[in-house]
Amino acid sequence: ATITERLSVSRQRLDKILRKRYGMNASEFLASARVEMAKERLRSSHAGESNVARLCGFSSMDEMEKSFRRFSGCTPYQYRDKHKVG
């Protein structure tokens, strides 16, 4: 089931709620949440970036890189290098 089905709201209504609360639509909100999840995995594990992308629900490494640049201003590689596990 999709998020809108589980919440019993239309896509347009969900977008409106998220835009009002967080300033982004459902797709942007989901990508942002995936980036935050990926940041945690990059900080706390030695898993490869492509594996992190898959585990966090990105369809590809390219998609994760684009989202990372948008929401973090850096690539996953740059983020990991700056915040890497000891």
Side-chain angles (χ1 to χ4, degrees):
T2 66
I3 294 170
T4 55
E5 290 170 343
R6 289 183 182 204
L7 297 174
S8 299
V9 297
S10 69
R11 173 65 184 256
Q12 293 80 9
R13 179 75 178 131
L14 181 60
D15 282 344
K16 185 176 180 180
I17 292 167
L18 291 172
R19 189 168 304 286
K20 185 175 182 178
R21 174 107 183 184
Y22 300 103
M24 57 183 85
N25 67 31
S27 295
E28 294 165 330
F29 183 82
L30 183 57
S32 174
R34 286 179 173 153
V35 166
E36 291 305 313
M37 189 184 330
K39 283 180 179 180
E40 178 58 32
R41 288 188 185 266
L42 290 169
R43 278 192 307 265
S44 65
S45 77
H46 296 286
E49 283 84 2
S50 59
N51 192 35
V52 170
R54 185 182 52 77
L55 291 170
C56 294
F58 290 103
S59 61
S60 67
M61 186 63 204
D62 287 341
E63 181 189 358
M64 184 169 89
E65 284 187 25
K66 287 177 189 175
S67 294
F68 240 88
R69 286 182 195 273
R70 179 170 185 203
F71 295 107
S72 299
C74 65
T75 67
Y77 310 105
Q78 292 165 333
Y79 183 85
R80 175 174 260 171
D81 189 49
K82 187 174 181 180
H83 301 92
K84 63 180 139 186
V85 178

